[in-house]
Amino acid sequence: MEQLIFVEYPDGSVDEFQGEVVYERDFVLIYEGHISHRINHAHTRAVHVHPAVLQEP
């Protein structure tokens, strides 16, 4: 299921992804189609996940 994923970093910056998220012991894995992102939990302040909302045309 598509989700909106916001990864917040200690410096206050935020990356936004749309896809699926999988939590592992030391990493969060984010899959955006054929692209995957592997982010170390130690490098993040928080990960916020929200259901993706379909936009009406």
Side-chain angles (χ1 to χ4, degrees), residues 20-41:
E20 296 182 38
V21 64
V22 176
Y23 295 96
E24 291 189 344
R25 182 169 176 237
D26 296 323
F27 295 92
V28 59
L29 303 174
I30 300 170
Y31 298 97
E32 289 186 302
H34 298 295
I35 301 169
S36 64
H37 307 275
R38 185 172 182 247
I39 303 168
N40 191 315
H41 283 299

Side-chain angles (χ1 to χ4, degrees), residues 4 6 10-11 15 23 28-30 38 42-43 46 50 53 55:
L4 294 177
F6 300 93
D11 67 358
D15 280 339
Y23 295 96
V28 59
L29 303 174
I30 300 170
R38 185 172 182 247
H43 299 157
H50 305 279
V53 177
Q55 299 295 322

Side-chain angles (χ1 to χ4, degrees), residues 1-18:
M1 178 183 179
E2 286 273 302
Q3 298 170 309
L4 294 177
I5 304 144
F6 300 93
V7 179
E8 185 179 344
Y9 299 98
D11 67 358
S13 64
V14 176
D15 280 339
E16 180 180 336
F17 304 95
Q18 185 167 342

